[in-house]
Amino acid sequence: AAGVIQSPRHLIKEKRETATLKCYPIPRHDTVYWYQQGPGQDPQFLISFYEKMQSDKGSIPDRFSAQQFSDYHSELNMSSLELGDSALYFCASSLGGGFSTGELFFGEGSRLTVL
Amino acid sequence: GEDVEQSLFLSVREGDSSVINCTYTDSSSTYLYWYKQEPGAGLQLLTYIFSNMDMKQDQRLTVLLNKKDKHLSLRIADTQTGDSAIYFCAEPYNQGGKLIFGQGTELSVKP
C-alpha cells in the first residue's frame, strides 16, 4: 500500500540558508501534519492542513512557513536556518480533518542537518 | 494541560511479554495511539484504540485503556529481538490534528 512520501530524506544546509521539505500524503488523504523531532526527543507538532487550509498551529517558528497544494501535497519552507533546526521532520497524513477515522500515518522523515 | 508520560526504558528477554505503560491527561481524547520508531527510522503506527473501548487485541499486541485512571498500556506477547525500538504513546490535543507524544519507552530485547 502507498505510504506517506517525504523528500528529500536527507538535507545538509549551512546557517542562514533556506530549505524546503516536501510531503506527499497517502492517496485520498486530505489532511497533512508536520512534526519536528530533535535528537532524543519526542516529536513536536508544527502545523497541519485540512483541505488546503491551515487547521492547527503548534510550535512552528516564524521563520518557517508551510502550505498544502491542490493535489494535497504539502511543503515546509524553512528560512534563516539555525543550528537548532537540525532535526528529523515528519509529515503525517489522514483522511478527514483531525481524527475522524483514527488512522494517522507518518512518513519516514526528512533529516535536516544545519552546519 | 497537555502531558503524556511514559517510563523511559524497559528491558526484557526474548520470548517474554513486554508491557509499556503510558498516562495521559486529556479525558476527551477520541483515539489513543501507539507508534514504534526504530533507530533513524520513521514513526510506524502500531495500533490505536477508540476511547469507548477498554481493550483492543491485534495479533501479539494488546492495548488496555483505563479511562478512569487515564492509563494506557501496550502489551507485546512473545517479544522478539526485532521488537527492540522506541515506543511512543500519543493522544490528540484537539480535533485539529495536534498529537501530543510521550517521551518514548526504549524497549531492549535480550536474546
Side-chain angles (χ1 to χ4, degrees):
Chain A
V4 178
I5 306 296
Q6 291 189 243
S7 68
R9 292 293 310 278
H10 300 274
L11 191 60
I12 299 175
K13 290 286 185 178
E14 304 250 335
K15 277 170 52 177
R16 292 180 289 278
E17 284 192 319
T18 297
T20 297
L21 305 181
K22 296 185 179 183
C23 169
Y24 297 86
I26 290 171
R28 292 186 295 281
H29 279 193
D30 52 15
T31 310
V32 293
Y33 315 80
W34 286 99
Y35 285 79
Q36 177 192 59
Q37 185 181 31
Q41 305 287 314
D42 54 284
Q44 297 292 315
F45 174 76
L46 292 178
I47 196 166
S48 62
F49 293 87
Y50 168 58
E51 283 290 346
K52 292 152 278 184
M53 299 287 290
Q54 181 181 308
S55 54
D56 201 358
K57 191 174 179 180
S59 51
I60 183 169
D62 292 340
R63 299 176 290 108
F64 293 10
S65 64
Q67 58 181 322
Q68 185 180 30
F69 294 85
S70 57
D71 63 352
Y72 296 107
H73 95 273
S74 178
E75 295 183 5
L76 177 66
N77 299 293
M78 300 175 284
S79 62
S80 303
L81 287 169
E82 302 174 357
L83 296 177
D85 296 329
S86 295
L88 196 52
Y89 289 83
F90 286 109
C91 174
S93 77
S94 70
L95 180 62
F99 300 93
S100 56
T101 69
E103 292 186 338
L104 185 65
F105 295 102
F106 282 79
E108 288 295 308
S110 293
R111 184 171 296 282
L112 171 67
T113 302
V114 181
L115 302 175
Chain B
E2 48 192 85
D3 201 10
V4 179
E5 298 280 340
Q6 296 178 243
S7 53
L8 297 181
F9 300 100
L10 177 65
S11 181
V12 300
R13 292 216 170 269
E14 194 172 20
D16 288 350
S17 291
S18 308
V19 179
I20 302 171
N21 294 302
C22 171
T23 57
Y24 62 97
T25 54
D26 187 358
S27 59
S28 65
S29 296
T30 51
Y31 292 95
L32 292 152
Y33 297 85
W34 284 104
Y35 286 90
K36 175 183 178 182
Q37 186 175 36
E38 297 182 19
L43 290 161
Q44 176 192 352
L45 176 62
L46 271 182
T47 187
Y48 58 95
I49 187 168
F50 191 56
S51 59
N52 68 353
M53 297 170 66
D54 298 323
M55 185 181 84
K56 179 179 179 182
Q57 188 150 5
D58 184 2
Q59 299 181 334
R60 292 191 297 122
L61 304 178
T62 303
V63 179
L64 294 178
L65 175 60
N66 181 330
K67 286 193 71 175
K68 175 175 168 290
D69 295 337
K70 297 181 185 174
H71 183 265
L72 182 72
S73 68
L74 174 70
R75 179 177 180 269
I76 306 173
D78 187 24
T79 313
Q80 303 297 306
T81 53
D83 294 324
S84 294
I86 297 177
Y87 290 81
F88 290 96
C89 67
E91 67 162 338
Y93 174 63
N94 54 35
Q95 293 306 304
K98 179 179 179 180
L99 271 181
I100 305 297
F101 285 83
Q103 309 95 313
T105 299
E106 183 175 348
L107 174 65
S108 173
V109 183
K110 299 188 184 334

